[in-house]
Amino acid sequence: MRLLQLFMERKIIVGLLFVFVLITGTFATLKLDKELMPPVDFDGAFIDVMAGEMNAAEVERIITNPIEQKLSGIEGVEDVNSETNIGRVSMQLSFESGRGDEVYREVESAVNAMKPQLTGVKDILTYKMSTNQPFEFYMDLSDGSMEEMTAFAEDVLKPRLEALPEVREVDFMGLEKKEVLVELNRDKLLEYQLDPSQILGLIQSENSEATLGTLSNEENEPTLRWNTTFTNIDELKNLRIPTNKGVETLDTFANINLQPTENTTSVWKEGSDEFLFIQIGRVSDATQIEMAEAVRVEVSKIRDDQLVKGFELNEVVAQADYVEDAINGVTDNILIGAVVALAILLIFLRNIRATIIIGLSIPTSVLLTFLSMWLLDYSFNMLSLIALGLGIGMMVDSSIVILESIYRKKEQGYENMQAVLEGTREVATAVFASMLTTIVVFLPIGLMGGEVGKFMIILSVVIAVTLISSVLIAFTLIPTLSENFLRLKKEKVGKKENGLVRGYGKTVAWMGAKKRNRFGMLGLFFVVLVGSLFLVTKIPMTIMPDMYNRYSEIVVNLEPGVSIDDRQEIVKSINERLETVKDVESHFVIDNGNFFFALINMTKGDDITREQDKVNEDIMKSLRTLSDDLPVKDVGAMMGTGGSPVKLNVKGESFEELKTITDDLTKKLNEIEGIVAITTTNERKSIEQQIVLKEDAIEKDGLTSQQIKQSIEQLSMTIPVGEMTSDGDTLPIKLGMNEKLTTQKDLLELEIRTPGGMEKLSKYIKFENAEVPNQISHVDGERYVTLSADIENRDLGSINRDVQKVIDDYKAPAGYTVSTAGDLEQQQELIQEMLMILFIAIFLVYVVMAIQFNNLVHPLVVMSVIPMTVVGVIIGLFITQSELSTMSGMGVIMLIGIVLNNAILLIDRTKQLRNEGYDAAGALVEAGKNRMRPIFMTTLTTAGAMMPLAFASGASGNYQAPLAIVVISGLLFATMITLVLIPGVYLLYADIGRGFKKIFRRRKKGEKRSNNLKAS
């Protein structure tokens, strides 16, 4: 209070601080980055190992197992999940919390060091888990010749855009790339007694350049340079080859042609590959919006220079637009919420000056919050803005309580300075306790693991900063302005109580009159609580809500070893299905190796005919059937965990036993309503023709197994032999045969050269059929099979309950376990974490209040309102049918702090009145009358400020709405109950206290009487 008195005596300090916050806050606002989601690095990594055409079982044995053993020995690596396919291993690693960068460097070093030791490995790639995207602006070139569009892209667009300071990289997909193919004629090679390896060696030795030495006695000692690199196809055709019939040119034995590379097409637009896809990434110190503006300006200049001729240059997706939409939507909601809060204040206080004082506190608190966010290196993103939207309502709570207390003191006839000091002193303890209880509920959020936990910490920090800023303003700006600026009309002094206050006083007095009255009221509340719990199963559940921005990203996971023709067929089928979905405007499919990545744009503005959730549902429904007749594993949304929402892992060693278990589970899951498209990873198998050598025949004819292998490889492989530079383009040179292996008969009829002449290969080999799995999955080195399914017309939460019942009822053989995975596992873990956080938060709140009140019982009285808050939450979610997700779970945790504020105000005032001599019932009646107005004002301003967020407007509306609905419904219901429940519980504790006192009094009397008898 001394500090407050200093501020009151030297108001210039507050004025200068106000100006300082105004200037620095405005500066920070301009400097804060704008992003859709905050850039977050997670404690984990991905590893991809490429191993050609090696079968999955062999990859598991010689690549997966050694890498897993190595990784499991690295300190800080907690989990290793792997998926082994034909010629590929994909691993996902989880690290110890807080050690992501350190452990990632060690993992990357260990894996790269292993590469030379792993047989058959072509390449190893490591990626760190992060929300950062390499590209955030996409364009396309279409409706023109591929040659012209390729030239424009490489010669004009790429250099001009990469020259922009905001642009890091411009990448193209679909460029028409060419290669030189030297296709050897097998019959000619046999005629001239040549081997493909001889041709390979001659091409490589001829296509070379080197420094041979220096002429030391010549002036300047010039170097001797050898350069016989090929500069055109004719030079390659005329390469001289020595044979048994003399020297011949290469084109005698081979057809040499310039042709498109097999993997040229990796992106499609509406099923067509006659276009170029352009991806643009930004530098780290530029925002998405800054990059988008710079690119659009430069593209406009390119058009003005008339360089876009004979083709179309179109913008496909700009993440910056979604950032602006999301930010604008949340910003509008914050402004509307602030206006609603001020309107509520005006209605309650009916004083323009009081409303202006609170109105000044809002922008000051917001600017102080922005300054703190800038110092913490946060950005304007969907999470931080949602936190601000929620904070706007709570932001004025402290200011309202202090202002109302000062206002009431002035109504009671106090002088200006005395009213400010006395009014602030009376509620200071309650305001600090309220702030601390609201903030401490967010401390356990740091215990939440995984990706969701990283995001929730950001949300929590911004809310905590907002509350601290608002309390600082409430204790400085509000009292300073209230002394002289806040005025009352004289007739308002000593005004009479209104009907609501009188009715409330009678209700509390009625409870205080008889024990049965308060027990009856508490019993009624208990019945309401139990009854509401039956509605929980009727509330839909999910992990994170979808983002509705008329744009969708879909992942189509492919089977291992999908051919180019199959890929074309899958793309064609995707295009046909998406064309039938109403409100899909355009789509692009990008080939990422083992999966397709689809970008889908939906109609916008006046063209919208359906809500996005319906469009998303139809997209998923149409694409799920791809796996029925095409080599597709599953289809999933990019924003989620990817793949199917329902996943079960069956762990064990034997493939046969695993198949039996998954078959049983598949039958049981088919009986659950809403589960569709069930697949298992062990049903994907390949028939492999294993070559068995006839050792006796090979040894008898003077051959080796390596010679046999080389003869077969030469027919089935296209070997890179170097590069040539022609007309400024670098062209790869590849060597192959004009005969390809297509059937067993072709291979067995193949003639090879032996010391005794030409012999058929069937003399030296035979075939055995073997069924091998296409995919083998591990978790921490243990083999498992995944059973996946999609859901339709039901939410994940209700499906989860049914699936969990199937797992609980299923008796797996010894050594085998069945558990949830994917979205189901994540949801169950999330529920457990949220419950743990809830209990820790409640305990921390109790600790803060116990210290603040210096009493162990009063906090329990205050916290008795928490169960009734849950009733409000359940009713709110049930009526609106909003999903119970991570965001709404955060709302529940937040509510613990918010709803206790009103109870703290009531109990704090009750305690003050008891110290002044009031009995329990009288103190509760008077405290309720004193605090009813600030309680209603803070509740309605908080709920009113959050109301726009509850109406799900803007791209981020689906994130805001569940959280806001939880807070509004829980807060309104809890406030209605607080004013009646808290007095009832307080009186109950008073009864118990009196009962214990009577017991101790009787015991003392008995001891005294006993002592008197002994003395006599």
Side-chain angles (χ1 to χ4, degrees):
M1 287 300 109
R2 288 180 181 177
L3 187 61
L4 175 60
Q5 195 158 357
L6 175 66
F7 286 149
M8 298 301 296
E9 291 171 356
R10 290 182 170 83
K11 296 184 180 65
I12 193 171
I13 297 174
V14 176
L16 290 173
L17 287 173
F18 176 78
V19 173
F20 173 77
V21 169
L22 193 66
I23 294 171
T24 55
T26 303
F27 173 79
T29 305
L30 297 173
K31 286 289 184 181
L32 283 169
D33 287 345
K34 295 179 179 179
E35 301 167 306
L36 190 63
M37 294 298 284
V40 175
D41 288 330
F42 301 114
D43 295 319
F46 297 105
I47 299 173
D48 273 339
V49 184
M50 312 301 174
E53 297 298 320
M54 194 184 298
N55 73 54
E58 194 175 359
V59 173
E60 180 192 38
R61 181 174 57 83
I62 66 176
I63 297 175
T64 306
N65 291 338
I67 292 179
E68 286 181 341
Q69 290 170 8
K70 182 73 174 178
L71 294 177
S72 62
I74 295 176
E75 186 182 355
V77 175
E78 293 188 335
D79 298 306
V80 180
N81 292 290
S82 69
E83 187 177 283
T84 304
N85 298 304
I86 297 173
R88 184 182 185 125
V89 184
S90 298
M91 294 184 174
Q92 181 174 333
L93 283 64
S94 297
F95 301 151
E96 187 180 321
S97 180
R99 297 184 59 192
D101 292 336
E102 171 197 345
V103 179
Y104 175 73
R105 285 192 295 270
E106 194 171 345
V107 165
E108 187 177 32
S109 175
V111 171
N112 289 334
M114 289 186 71
K115 186 177 177 180
Q117 308 164 21
L118 301 171
T119 305
V121 169
K122 308 293 183 185
D123 197 12
I124 298 180
L125 302 172
T126 57
Y127 314 90
K128 198 168 188 309
M129 288 187 192
S130 174
T131 58
N132 293 318
Q133 297 180 355
F135 303 105
E136 295 165 322
F137 195 101
Y138 304 96
M139 305 176 76
D140 77 69
L141 281 166
S142 56
D143 298 335
S145 76
M146 288 300 294
E147 189 175 346
E148 288 181 358
M149 291 190 296
T150 299
F152 170 79
E154 293 185 324
D155 301 337
V156 178
L157 196 61
K158 185 178 177 70
R160 288 188 61 164
L161 291 183
E162 287 188 343
L164 298 173
E166 296 86 359
V167 174
R168 170 182 50 81
E169 180 186 2
V170 177
D171 184 62
F172 301 110
M173 299 184 73
L175 285 175
E176 190 174 65
K177 296 180 180 179
K178 295 185 177 181
E179 64 184 9
V180 177
L181 180 62
V182 180
E183 201 169 45
L184 298 173
N185 186 310
R186 177 173 168 74
D187 293 334
K188 286 286 186 181
L189 291 179
L190 291 173
E191 181 185 340
Y192 285 87
Q193 297 184 7
L194 289 172
D195 190 84
S197 60
Q198 293 174 273
I199 305 294
L200 172 65
L202 286 168
I203 293 174
Q204 289 178 331
S205 62
E206 186 68 19
N207 188 37
S208 63
E209 58 178 325
T211 300
L212 303 181
T214 59
L215 299 175
S216 56
N217 292 332
E218 296 285 341
E219 186 179 355
N220 297 325
E221 296 187 359
T223 58
L224 285 176
R225 188 76 179 159
W226 177 275
N227 187 351
T228 55
T229 55
F230 301 125
T231 58
N232 56 61
I233 291 180
D234 289 337
E235 289 181 2
L236 185 59
K237 288 180 178 180
N238 294 326
L239 175 65
R240 297 169 67 78
I241 308 291
T243 72
N244 62 343
K245 296 182 180 181
V247 178
E248 299 286 346
T249 57
L250 181 59
D251 57 2
T252 305
F253 319 103
N255 293 320
I256 305 167
N257 296 301
L258 183 67
Q259 64 178 35
T261 59
E262 283 191 354
N263 296 323
T264 293
T265 301
S266 55
V267 62
W268 295 263
K269 177 183 180 181
E270 273 89 54
S272 169
D273 58 6
E274 292 294 317
F275 85 109
L276 298 183
F277 191 69
I278 305 156
Q279 304 177 103
I280 304 169
R282 63 187 166 103
V283 294
S284 58
D285 57 350
T287 67
Q288 294 164 323
I289 294 173
E290 288 170 345
M291 182 190 72
E293 289 175 352
V295 169
R296 283 166 176 159
V297 169
E298 190 61 29
V299 169
S300 180
K301 290 178 181 177
I302 291 172
R303 293 185 192 279
D304 292 341
D305 294 340
Q306 315 233 323
L307 295 174
V308 182
K309 289 183 178 178
F311 47 82
E312 293 290 329
L313 176 59
N314 304 306
E315 191 174 301
V316 177
V317 175
Q319 293 286 355
D321 294 341
Y322 304 128
V323 173
E324 286 193 300
D325 286 347
I327 290 175
N328 290 340
V330 179
T331 304
D332 290 346
N333 291 337
I334 290 174
L335 292 174
I336 294 169
V339 171
V340 170
L342 291 175
I344 291 168
L345 282 175
L346 189 58
I347 292 168
F348 268 90
L349 294 177
R350 286 171 288 182
N351 187 303
I352 295 291
R353 289 172 178 262
T355 307
I356 291 172
I357 293 172
I358 297 295
L360 284 173
S361 74
I362 293 176
T364 312
S365 300
V366 168
L367 288 174
L368 189 56
T369 302
F370 289 167
L371 177 60
S372 303
M373 285 172 58
W374 180 61
L375 293 173
L376 290 169
D377 200 25
Y378 280 10
S379 64
F380 283 132
N381 55 64
M382 200 160 61
L383 289 177
S384 62
L385 284 171
I386 288 173
L388 284 169
L390 295 169
I392 281 289
M394 295 184 289
M395 193 177 283
V396 294
D397 284 359
S398 301
S399 296
I400 287 172
V401 171
I402 291 175
L403 180 71
E404 194 279 336
S405 183
I406 295 170
Y407 190 88
R408 189 163 46 80
K409 292 300 178 185
K410 287 195 175 188
E411 284 181 329
Q412 293 170 1
Y414 283 74
E415 292 296 326
N416 286 350
M417 177 66 83
Q418 191 182 5
V420 169
L421 294 175
E422 190 62 28
T424 306
R425 184 196 62 78
E426 188 176 284
V427 295
T429 301
V431 168
F432 275 117
S434 297
M435 179 194 71
L436 289 173
T437 52
T438 307
I439 289 175
V440 294
V441 297
F442 293 111
L443 293 181
I445 297 295
L447 300 175
M448 187 184 292
E451 302 172 9
V452 174
K454 295 275 187 178
F455 289 130
M456 292 305 103
I457 288 173
I458 293 172
L459 193 75
S460 305
V461 169
V462 175
I463 291 176
V465 167
T466 303
L467 292 175
I468 294 170
S469 301
S470 68
V471 169
L472 290 174
I473 297 301
F475 277 100
T476 53
L477 187 65
I478 300 299
T480 305
L481 292 175
S482 297
E483 182 185 1
N484 296 314
F485 188 70
L486 181 62
R487 296 177 186 171
L488 305 177
K489 293 179 181 179
K490 289 187 178 180
E491 60 266 26
K492 289 192 176 181
V493 176
K495 66 178 183 178
K496 293 183 179 180
E497 294 177 346
N498 60 39
L500 179 63
V501 175
R502 288 197 302 273
Y504 171 74
K506 290 178 180 178
T507 302
V508 175
W510 173 79
M511 282 196 298
K514 294 182 179 180
K515 289 182 182 180
R516 66 184 181 189
N517 294 347
R518 42 187 175 269
F519 275 109
M521 187 65 75
L522 295 176
L524 177 63
F525 287 145
F526 181 76
V527 170
V528 171
L529 173 62
V530 173
S532 69
L533 296 178
F534 289 101
L535 297 176
V536 172
T537 57
K538 307 296 182 183
I539 298 172
M541 296 176 68
T542 188
I543 298 171
M544 286 292 279
D546 294 324
M547 189 187 303
Y548 291 155
N549 51 12
R550 307 301 293 177
Y551 168 73
S552 184
E553 296 178 349
I554 303 294
V555 174
V556 179
N557 292 305
L558 307 178
E559 298 275 9
V562 179
S563 67
I564 293 174
D565 289 341
D566 284 339
R567 289 173 186 270
Q568 293 280 5
E569 190 62 34
I570 293 169
V571 170
K572 180 182 175 184
S573 190
I574 290 173
N575 178 57
E576 289 171 352
R577 284 165 166 77
L578 290 180
E579 281 182 343
T580 64
V581 179
K582 197 176 179 182
D583 272 29
V584 168
E585 191 172 58
S586 63
H587 62 271
F588 298 79
V589 178
I590 300 171
D591 188 345
N592 276 4
N594 60 341
F595 67 90
F596 283 150
F597 176 54
L599 305 173
I600 302 171
N601 283 316
M602 302 174 196
T603 53
K604 299 178 180 67
D606 295 336
D607 296 329
I608 295 175
T609 62
R610 295 194 301 162
E611 292 298 323
Q612 185 169 340
D613 58 339
K614 300 296 182 186
V615 182
N616 286 347
E617 191 174 320
D618 282 357
I619 288 172
M620 295 302 297
K621 192 173 182 179
S622 65
L623 295 182
R624 281 187 192 123
T625 56
L626 286 170
S627 58
D628 293 346
D629 49 11
L630 291 167
V632 171
K633 283 187 193 176
D634 52 42
V635 178
M638 191 66 176
M639 281 299 290
T641 55
S644 304
V646 177
K647 286 188 179 181
L648 301 182
N649 283 347
V650 184
K651 294 181 184 178
E653 188 59 32
S654 166
F655 280 119
E656 290 75 18
E657 190 63 48
L658 288 170
K659 187 176 187 313
T660 303
I661 296 171
T662 53
D663 287 346
D664 291 343
L665 290 171
T666 300
K667 292 175 184 175
K668 294 181 182 296
L669 290 182
N670 271 319
E671 297 171 3
I672 297 176
E673 182 186 353
I675 285 188
V676 296
I678 301 174
T679 60
T680 61
T681 53
N682 63 351
E683 70 186 21
R684 308 177 186 115
K685 296 182 179 179
S686 298
I687 300 299
E688 190 173 72
Q689 301 289 332
Q690 294 186 349
I691 295 173
V692 179
L693 297 176
K694 299 178 180 179
E695 298 286 355
D696 293 340
I698 292 172
E699 186 177 352
K700 183 179 178 181
D701 288 355
L703 296 173
T704 65
S705 59
Q706 283 301 312
Q707 287 174 300
I708 303 295
K709 180 185 176 186
Q710 189 178 45
S711 298
I712 298 171
E713 283 180 338
Q714 286 170 356
L715 287 180
S716 59
M717 295 176 66
T718 301
I719 306 168
V721 294
E723 293 177 340
M724 74 160 62
T725 302
S726 178
D727 298 327
D729 295 329
T730 301
L731 303 173
I733 305 171
K734 293 185 178 179
L735 183 69
M737 297 291 288
N738 65 342
E739 294 181 16
K740 301 295 179 187
L741 295 178
T742 55
T743 65
Q744 281 190 28
K745 184 180 178 182
D746 291 339
L747 184 59
L748 293 173
E749 293 291 324
L750 176 69
E751 290 188 340
I752 62 171
R753 184 180 289 107
T754 71
M758 302 301 293
E759 294 286 352
K760 289 185 177 181
L761 196 57
S762 58
K763 183 178 180 181
Y764 307 108
I765 66 168
K766 63 180 180 178
F767 291 105
E768 285 183 0
N769 288 343
E771 194 179 61
V772 294
N774 284 357
Q775 178 179 322
I776 304 170
S777 301
H778 287 184
V779 56
D780 294 331
E782 187 177 1
R783 187 180 287 166
Y784 72 93
V785 171
T786 300
L787 191 151
S788 307
D790 287 316
I791 60 176
E792 275 185 4
N793 303 321
R794 285 185 72 190
D795 65 279
L796 185 62
S798 57
I799 293 283
N800 188 359
R801 289 188 287 271
D802 291 345
V803 172
Q804 190 60 51
K805 189 174 186 305
V806 168
I807 295 173
D808 294 341
D809 294 343
Y810 187 78
K811 304 298 181 186
Y816 294 83
T817 59
V818 181
S819 61
T820 55
D823 285 3
L824 284 180
E825 180 185 33
Q826 193 174 352
Q827 188 183 68
Q828 290 178 356
E829 290 176 355
L830 201 61
I831 290 171
Q832 292 171 1
E833 287 179 348
M834 292 298 269
L835 288 174
M836 180 187 69
I837 289 167
L838 189 66
F839 288 127
I840 294 174
I842 291 172
F843 175 73
L844 290 175
V845 165
Y846 174 81
V847 170
V848 168
M849 288 192 294
I851 294 170
Q852 197 76 31
F853 289 135
N854 194 29
N855 188 297
L856 296 177
V857 174
H858 287 167
L860 296 175
V861 176
V862 171
M863 293 169 68
S864 64
V865 76
I866 291 176
M868 300 314 298
T869 303
V870 176
V871 176
V873 170
I874 293 171
I875 292 172
L877 291 175
F878 174 73
I879 291 173
T880 61
Q881 278 300 288
S882 294
E883 294 174 325
L884 180 58
S885 64
T886 307
M887 299 303 291
S888 48
M890 279 294 296
V892 174
I893 293 171
M894 189 186 304
L895 260 178
I896 294 173
I898 298 173
V899 299
L900 295 181
N901 295 349
N902 295 332
I904 288 170
L905 279 174
L906 191 61
I907 293 299
D908 183 65
R909 183 58 180 156
T910 303
K911 185 182 175 185
Q912 291 175 6
L913 293 170
R914 290 295 301 274
N915 292 335
E916 293 175 11
Y918 281 73
D919 65 356
L924 286 167
V925 171
E926 186 63 25
K929 291 177 179 180
N930 292 168
R931 293 291 182 255
M932 183 178 291
R933 185 167 62 182
I935 285 174
F936 276 126
M937 286 168 65
T938 54
T939 297
L940 292 176
T941 51
T942 301
M946 292 185 188
M947 197 65 74
L949 276 67
F951 286 102
S953 61
S956 59
N958 220 36
Y959 272 61
Q960 304 168 37
L963 204 157
I965 287 168
V966 162
V967 173
I968 292 169
S969 59
L971 184 57
L972 289 177
F973 191 83
T975 301
M976 305 262 304
I977 299 304
T978 298
L979 292 167
V980 180
L981 176 65
I982 294 297
V985 176
Y986 188 93
L987 290 168
L988 179 63
Y989 275 105
D991 294 339
I992 294 171
R994 283 194 296 272
F996 277 116
K997 285 180 181 178
K998 286 181 181 178
I999 293 171
F1000 288 129
R1001 218 178 279 126
R1002 287 172 186 167
R1003 184 177 295 175
K1004 284 181 180 179
K1005 284 182 180 179
E1007 289 175 355
K1008 189 175 180 181
R1009 192 179 297 113
S1010 176
N1011 291 333
N1012 290 335
L1013 288 171
K1014 287 178 181 179
S1016 61

